[in-house]
Every structure is written in structure tokens, then in C-alpha cells.
Amino acid sequence: MNNNEILHKVDNNKEILINKMYVGRYLNDNIGHEVINLIKSDNGQNYIYVNPYGSMDKKHNNKIDTILLVRNSNIKDTFEILAQAYDLEQVNFSQRKNKDREKQLEYIYENSIKYNDKYVNKIFYENEKNEEAIYISFRANKVKRPKKPIYISFLPTTQKDICDKDSKYILIYLNSCKQQNNTNKTNIVNIAKQSLKMYIGNKEIKYNNKIVDQSKVFEKLKYIIENSDYWKKENSTKKVKEIIQEYENGTDINHFNIIDIIDKNYDEVIFSNMFKYIFSANPKAFCSFANTVLKNNFKNNKLNLSEQFNIEREKGHTDLLITDKTNKNIIVIENKIKSGINGKDLFLEDKKVKGQLYEYYRYANGEIFEYYKNKFFYIFVPDYSYISETDLYPKNTYKIIKYSQIYDFFYKYRKSFENVLYFKEFLYALQKHISNTDNILEQTTHKRFIESIKSKN
């Protein structure tokens, strides 16, 4: 990589801070302070709040070169980089002390740090009403978002990084160095499960009574940060007014509905019941869905569903069982959100138990359904689901349908459901699961923030 390709040259004598966003029980009832990280304030500046508490250990003061803002992905110990923030000015000066609060408020008012004409401390005041609260950790003069998804993984592996130009995403394995056994030194960087921030320097540190050489990980992160091919040229974070406009126009996914109120965003039973209700509400539209979205997953089988279908819940323990006597079709649908495939680890030839998908397959092929000649098997999953075709048994039988495929179809034909009660709520509930990342907490945080800055109080 030559100098012309460098976006931002990382100082080898400083540290890279990895800061995890949108996690923890705190977000269940409060506005996450990190929501400001990717939003421009009224004065056009970006300010960064470092989780947790906004503070850092004093030994890291003035040592942070770049902050990588990350969130959880659907892969264990693997995080998606949302942005890099650099050219930093540190704003917090100690750890939750009264004197720091005084400096914070002075800085906020001197720089008129507002969002929709509301001072940042007023937005988060109701969270804690804490005299020691910290509202801002850094001012970032430069914030860049990735051109395509970038993931960093702490999983122990010997796999090669995925960073060629033709790939749809970038995946960097930070734990790819081999551990030096029987010594007090290791090259592996283990992620601290409870920590929301990690400091990576071009040096050795002590971790769990061993010496950790961070230099290789530092170099990998440095490569990501500096590579201009990975980052948008301009700061693409949005201004508050843009976000409010999107929210009010209904073009974002921060809508709050009954599923949020009863805290059932991950409840498979609720979603399966909604599928049955919506599928049955407009048989003609569902036949179009079956004959296009579902049919496209089978090249050799013809799915021609008639409008005289019957749909049942928990028939033979299946989530949805659809029978069509007219055209002799039977459709089995298993719906998964957070759970995996029960018994999938028992898919061995010498095992009698083949798992739940095999049981549904066997049930649909039993004598009671001998009349139905055309049999189709599907599994509905959120886009962030880790379930893949290799998990499905019998092989080449079940096909995966992403929630985004379901959402796209019903959104396209939403006018056909104008008179169907709760159809909009159905779409909003689906919409929370069509991202490649499980980001419901992120959506909820943004919604609360928007409502707070719109409030005159």
C-alpha cells in the first residue's frame, strides 16, 4: 500500500480504541449515550461517547489515535465496524468526578453542543440524574463510515482474512497468530467478555497473568484504518434534522408497535401466529408469495398453490403446515429467530434421532399425507441468523427464506392489505429482523433519542 492510498496514518506510539455500542441492560430503560456517536450535532461537529460511563482509565489519557465504533454481529466474538473516528480532542479528563462534570458542562455550553436545539446534557439528564454524569468523551474532527461491511473477529482461527475487492464484505481475524504454549507469553488477543472497550497498542501488555503481544493486532487494525479503499471519502453521518425527517416520514425502522410494548421482538410463537394471520387474510396475495418467493427456491419442483389452501399451526409440531388439496401441495414451514435447529448435532448415520427438521419431513411424508404429491419444506430466519444450508436435514430438502424476502414481497403488495387489521404492525415487526445484524437495541436507542430531542421539555 503506497502513501497515496492511506486515508489516515495511525501513530505507532498511540493506541486504537475499540468501543462496543448498543449492548447491555442499561439500554432497556434508558437512552444509550453512544447514540450521538454517528450523528452530527447542530454545530456540525461529531462527538463521541465512550462506553461505559464516558470515561477512561487515566493511563490512556491523550493516547488514543483512532476510535473504532463497533457493534455485535451474528458471529460469536466478531464485531461490525460502524465507523472510525480520528483527529480527536479528548473532552473527559477524569473518572466520574464532580470536577469533571463542571468541565463537561462548561465545554458543552461554550461549544453550544445541541441536538435539535437541545443541549446534550438535557437529553440524557433523565437517564441518571447523576451529578457525576459524563456526556462526551471526545470531539472527532474526522468520522468515516465503511464503503461495505467490515468485520473484526477475535475467534481463534487459522483462516485467512477476507479483504479482496470483489468480496461483499471485509473480515479480518485478529486472533490468527498461534499461541506460544508453555510460556508466560502469548500472541493471542482475547476479548474481555464484560468490557465495552479495548485498547490496542503497538506493544506488549499483561493479560490474565500472561504477556500479550498486541503488535500484530495493532498492525492489522492499522491496515484497515489506513486503507482508503475501505472508507467513504466524506463524513456520511447525518444531521439531526435529516434523521427526524426520516423518522416522521416513516422511512426508517424506528417505529414502535405492540410487539415492542409486550417485549416480543424475538418470540417465534408470536411471529408464527402473525404469519398464519397475514397469509390467511389475503389468500390471493399469499398464493402469489408462494408461487414466486417460495417457488424460486426450487428449480426442479413446480409450486402452484391454489387459493383453497388450509393453514394450520403446530400440526405435527410444525410451525406452519399448509395443505392444498386442489393442486396436491403440502408446505412445511419452520420459523426460527434466536433459536437454532434442535438436534442438528445428531445428524449422523448411526443415530436414530435426526433432529426436528427430519421429524417434520417424516411427518409430512407419512401415510396421512399420501394424497399430496408435491411437498415443499422451508425455514424462515432473520437475515442475521447464523443458520445455514449445512445445518438443514435431510440435505437438499429444506430451503432458507430470509425475513427480508418476506418483508420485500409484502411491502411491495401492501396496498392489497390496506383493510387487513395490524398489517402495518406486521411489516414493522418484520423490518426489525431484515438487517444482517441483530440491532433492535440500536433501533430502540435511536427512537428514544429522537423522541427526546423532539420534546420541548
Side-chain angles (χ1 to χ4, degrees):
M1 186 170 66
N2 59 50
N3 291 333
N4 293 331
E5 295 174 323
I6 293 177
L7 175 69
H8 151 55
K9 193 169 180 63
V10 177
D11 189 336
N12 286 330
N13 297 315
K14 290 196 172 185
E15 297 172 326
I16 298 169
L17 172 59
I18 301 175
N19 194 219
K20 198 190 308 181
M21 299 165 58
Y22 311 122
V23 292
R25 288 180 295 177
Y26 180 82
L27 297 184
N28 290 340
D29 303 305
N30 299 288
I31 304 172
H33 289 236
E34 68 266 35
V35 69
I36 67 171
N37 291 353
L38 298 174
I39 298 175
K40 288 189 180 80
S41 65
D42 292 354
N43 64 20
Q45 288 284 344
N46 287 96
Y47 296 94
I48 306 296
Y49 177 89
V50 173
N51 283 335
Y53 311 126
S55 61
M56 303 186 304
D57 192 301
K58 291 181 181 179
K59 66 183 180 182
H60 300 290
N61 279 351
N62 299 314
K63 291 184 179 179
I64 306 302
D65 180 283
T66 307
I67 301 173
L68 292 178
L69 302 169
V70 306
R71 66 181 173 193
N72 284 329
S73 76
N74 59 315
I75 306 172
K76 180 183 178 183
D77 291 347
T78 300
F79 303 97
E80 180 182 2
I81 299 177
L82 300 176
Q84 63 159 306
Y86 58 100
D87 193 1
L88 303 168
E89 175 189 328
Q90 188 172 330
V91 177
N92 71 305
F93 304 96
S94 58
Q95 285 202 308
R96 297 175 64 84
K97 303 294 185 182
N98 287 334
K99 62 179 182 179
D100 193 43
R101 174 179 168 78
E102 292 174 5
K103 290 181 179 180
Q104 282 267 308
L105 295 178
E106 182 180 338
Y107 185 87
I108 289 168
Y109 292 126
E110 281 184 354
N111 291 277
S112 190
I113 304 174
K114 299 179 181 180
Y115 296 85
N116 200 38
D117 206 32
K118 195 169 186 178
Y119 280 107
V120 64
N121 53 303
K122 299 296 183 182
I123 297 172
F124 299 109
Y125 177 73
E126 292 297 325
N127 278 5
E128 297 177 348
K129 295 185 178 178
N130 190 327
E131 293 184 355
E132 297 180 357
I134 291 175
Y135 304 103
I136 298 171
S137 309
F138 292 89
R139 184 179 76 181
N141 293 313
K142 301 287 180 63
V143 175
K144 296 292 175 68
R145 281 183 170 274
K147 291 180 180 178
K148 57 184 176 181
I150 302 176
Y151 299 92
I152 51 174
S153 176
F154 290 86
L155 288 171
T157 182
T158 57
Q159 296 184 63
K160 292 183 179 180
D161 299 332
I162 300 172
C163 51
D164 57 274
K165 290 185 178 181
D166 295 330
S167 61
K168 294 181 179 179
Y169 59 89
I170 299 160
L171 173 59
I172 305 293
Y173 292 103
L174 301 180
N175 256 0
S176 58
C177 309
K178 291 184 179 180
Q179 185 171 351
Q180 300 175 11
N181 295 324
N182 302 320
T183 71
N184 67 339
K185 189 173 181 179
T186 176
N187 286 326
I188 293 179
V189 175
N190 294 296
I191 189 160
K193 301 297 183 184
Q194 302 303 318
S195 177
L196 299 182
K197 54 179 173 272
M198 292 186 67
Y199 304 92
I200 307 296
N202 190 24
K203 58 186 178 181
E204 293 181 348
I205 63 169
K206 193 170 184 178
Y207 184 89
N208 285 349
N209 297 320
K210 284 194 173 184
I211 301 299
V212 179
D213 182 3
Q214 292 188 319
S215 59
K216 291 184 179 180
V217 173
F218 182 86
E219 285 300 317
K220 281 198 168 190
L221 292 177
K222 180 180 175 181
Y223 171 75
I224 296 172
I225 291 167
E226 293 183 350
N227 194 330
S228 61
D229 290 338
Y230 294 168
W231 304 93
K232 295 180 180 179
K233 291 183 179 180
E234 303 297 329
N235 182 347
S236 59
T237 59
K238 296 179 181 179
K239 294 182 179 179
V240 177
K241 290 183 179 179
E242 293 178 82
I243 295 171
I244 292 176
Q245 186 175 11
E246 289 178 354
Y247 181 82
E248 291 178 341
N249 290 343
T251 55
D252 69 350
I253 56 177
N254 289 305
H255 295 279
F256 201 63
N257 59 32
I258 188 64
I259 304 301
D260 299 285
I261 294 171
I262 62 178
D263 193 22
K264 295 294 184 181
N265 280 304
Y266 297 104
D267 194 307
E268 292 169 359
V269 173
I270 294 290
F271 276 79
S272 295
N273 287 338
M274 284 196 294
F275 287 138
K276 179 186 177 184
Y277 169 69
I278 296 298
F279 293 170
S280 302
N282 189 330
K284 183 177 180 179
F286 178 69
C287 284
S288 179
F289 172 78
N291 297 332
T292 55
V293 177
L294 300 187
K295 177 184 176 181
N296 287 341
N297 282 267
F298 284 93
K299 294 181 179 179
N300 300 322
N301 294 4
K302 184 178 180 180
L303 201 172
N304 185 24
L305 191 70
S306 76
E307 293 182 31
Q308 285 71 49
F309 65 84
N310 181 53
I311 183 168
E312 298 176 272
R313 285 273 291 117
E314 296 297 335
K315 182 79 171 181
H317 302 295
T318 60
D319 285 338
L320 295 167
L321 184 71
I322 301 169
T323 50
D324 165 25
K325 287 187 176 180
T326 303
N327 293 335
K328 299 182 179 181
N329 293 312
I330 185 169
I331 300 173
V332 174
I333 297 173
E334 176 67 8
N335 179 43
K336 294 290 186 184
I337 298 182
K338 279 290 192 179
S339 61
I341 307 298
N342 296 336
K344 71 176 184 179
D345 293 328
L346 301 181
F347 295 161
L348 302 173
E349 293 301 324
D350 58 345
K351 297 287 186 181
K352 292 183 180 179
V353 179
K354 296 290 185 180
Q356 63 178 147
L357 297 186
Y358 175 75
E359 294 302 320
Y360 305 152
Y361 173 81
R362 188 173 66 174
Y363 176 73
N365 281 283
E367 291 184 6
I368 60 173
F369 298 112
E370 188 175 351
Y371 169 81
Y372 300 93
K373 303 301 181 184
N374 309 309
K375 297 175 181 179
F376 305 89
F377 301 85
Y378 302 94
I379 178 165
F380 288 1
V381 298
D383 285 46
Y384 56 78
S385 173
Y386 57 85
I387 294 174
S388 67
E389 299 249 346
T390 58
D391 298 318
L392 309 183
Y393 187 89
K395 299 297 182 183
N396 303 317
T397 299
Y398 281 87
K399 297 296 178 181
I400 292 176
I401 302 295
K402 299 281 190 176
Y403 270 35
S404 60
Q405 294 175 267
I406 305 170
Y407 174 84
D408 289 345
F409 176 88
F410 285 97
Y411 181 80
K412 181 178 179 180
Y413 295 100
R414 60 191 181 281
K415 288 187 178 180
S416 301
F417 293 84
E418 285 180 334
N419 298 321
V420 175
L421 197 61
Y422 303 123
F423 179 73
K424 285 186 178 180
E425 283 72 12
F426 167 71
L427 282 183
Y428 293 153
L430 277 179
Q431 201 172 25
K432 293 179 183 294
H433 298 282
I434 65 175
S435 168
N436 289 328
T437 304
D438 176 12
N439 60 351
I440 288 179
L441 275 178
E442 179 180 348
Q443 296 165 20
T444 302
T445 294
H446 277 262
K447 174 192 169 295
R448 289 175 180 157
F449 176 76
I450 292 167
E451 291 181 344
S452 177
I453 61 177
K454 287 174 62 180
S455 170
K456 294 181 180 180
N457 296 328

